[in-house]
Amino acid sequence: MQPYQTLREEAYAANMQLPALGLVIFTFGNVSAADRSKGIFAIKPSGVPYEELSPEKMVIVDFDGKTVDGQLRPSSDTLTHAVLYKHWEGISGIVHTHSTFATAWAQSQRDIPLYGTTHADHNTVDIPCAAPMSDEMIAGDYEYQTGFQIMDALTQRGLTYHDIEMILVGNHAPFTWGKTAAKAVYNSAVLESIAQMAQLTESINHNAPRLKDALIRKHFERKHGPNSYYGQ
Ligand SMILES: O=C(CO)[C@@H](O)[C@H](O)COP(=O)(O)O
């Protein structure tokens, strides 16, 4: 058995969901799965097509972004994942994609407004778009700074990483997270669907109204919290 085999298999399975769900093409995007008890995560190697991936090719990295085990160079976004794992204790999965509609909203530099119950089933707030990074941050350790750009965007809105598990990085693309890599992948697929619905909503009615608070609460609380009654 290879070292960290179980973690590698979890990361591999989650990475392979991205092309399966139509969230990436070629080598776009990346998924990591963390073992917080060891302070490490497994992440896709950089620039390797998904069809060439295997559990053995997942790279094991610590929360400072240093490679612990693996022959291949980890994802170019590794330091962004590392920063978020280091600062957000409740997450063990992170996904970055360039899914079309979420990326289009990121390029528009707009938060995704809460127009409908599909959005409210998952979030009670607009989906944030982090501001584009300063020239200094870009010239510095870009991926490391992207992690802080994400955290700062939530703080500026009075949100925590529990309040919402998805964000757009201005002019770049989305990041999502969760208690597991599988949940982070689910969040990436939900984000792409919400982004597409919102874009279509605005193209049909540019003055479309936001969902009213009563419906936001009803749909979110139907699925989440002590009085939820969705599912089995
Ligand atoms: O953000 C980007 C590119 O802008 C990444 O999503 C890459 O497309 C994936 O890079 P690797 O994980 O293969 O290094």
Side-chain angles (χ1 to χ4, degrees):
M1 188 142 163
Q2 193 187 26
Y4 314 106
Q5 183 69 18
T6 304
L7 189 61
R8 284 186 152 109
E9 286 171 355
E10 181 185 358
Y12 169 71
N15 273 281
M16 296 311 287
Q17 279 297 294
L18 297 193
L21 292 165
L23 296 173
V24 298
I25 56 174
F26 305 128
T27 66
F28 294 8
N30 38 73
V31 183
S32 65
D35 178 341
R36 300 201 67 93
S37 67
K38 298 187 175 75
I40 57 172
F41 60 94
I43 192 165
K44 154 180 171 274
S46 184
V48 177
Y50 284 89
E51 59 271 20
E52 296 176 19
L53 291 179
S54 65
E56 295 67 34
K57 290 182 179 176
M58 298 294 117
V59 185
I60 304 299
V61 184
D62 68 18
F63 288 2
D64 290 317
K66 291 182 178 51
T67 296
V68 171
D69 187 76
Q71 305 308 313
L72 299 173
R73 181 181 293 148
S75 166
S76 52
D77 295 310
T78 293
L79 279 179
T80 305
H81 292 237
V83 164
L84 297 180
Y85 283 129
K86 192 153 195 173
H87 290 83
W88 291 352
E89 292 175 5
I91 67 169
S92 294
I94 297 172
V95 175
H96 173 50
T97 77
H98 284 229
S99 61
T100 303
F101 286 90
T103 301
W105 278 93
Q107 292 177 171
S108 79
Q109 300 185 25
R110 287 181 60 205
D111 292 8
I112 302 179
L114 207 171
Y115 285 125
T117 61
T118 313
H119 187 145
D121 282 340
H122 300 88
N123 302 302
T124 59
V125 295
D126 294 358
I127 297 168
C129 184
M133 294 166 62
S134 68
D135 291 356
E136 293 72 29
M137 291 172 86
I138 293 167
D141 195 331
Y142 174 65
E143 293 79 11
Y144 179 77
Q145 293 297 342
T146 299
F148 288 92
Q149 196 76 353
I150 288 169
M151 294 192 290
D152 291 348
L154 295 191
T155 304
Q156 288 156 15
R157 292 164 173 80
L159 298 172
T160 73
Y161 67 88
H162 296 294
D163 295 327
I164 192 161
E165 296 182 331
M166 49 188 74
I167 197 166
L168 311 171
V169 176
N171 294 132
H172 185 179
F175 283 80
T176 65
W177 52 90
K179 283 191 184 313
T180 64
K183 179 60 180 348
V185 169
Y186 170 88
N187 286 334
S188 289
V190 164
L191 171 55
E192 177 63 7
S193 183
I194 289 170
Q196 182 173 16
M197 290 175 190
Q199 196 277 329
L200 290 171
T201 299
E202 292 196 353
S203 67
I204 297 165
N205 176 1
H206 193 67
N207 298 309
R210 300 171 52 80
L211 191 62
K212 58 184 178 179
D213 286 346
L215 255 181
I216 295 174
R217 276 196 311 278
K218 166 55 74 177
H219 268 266
F220 188 77
E221 290 166 9
R222 183 168 78 157
K223 286 192 83 171
H224 308 273
N227 302 316
S228 68
Y229 55 90
Y230 175 85
Q232 299 305 317

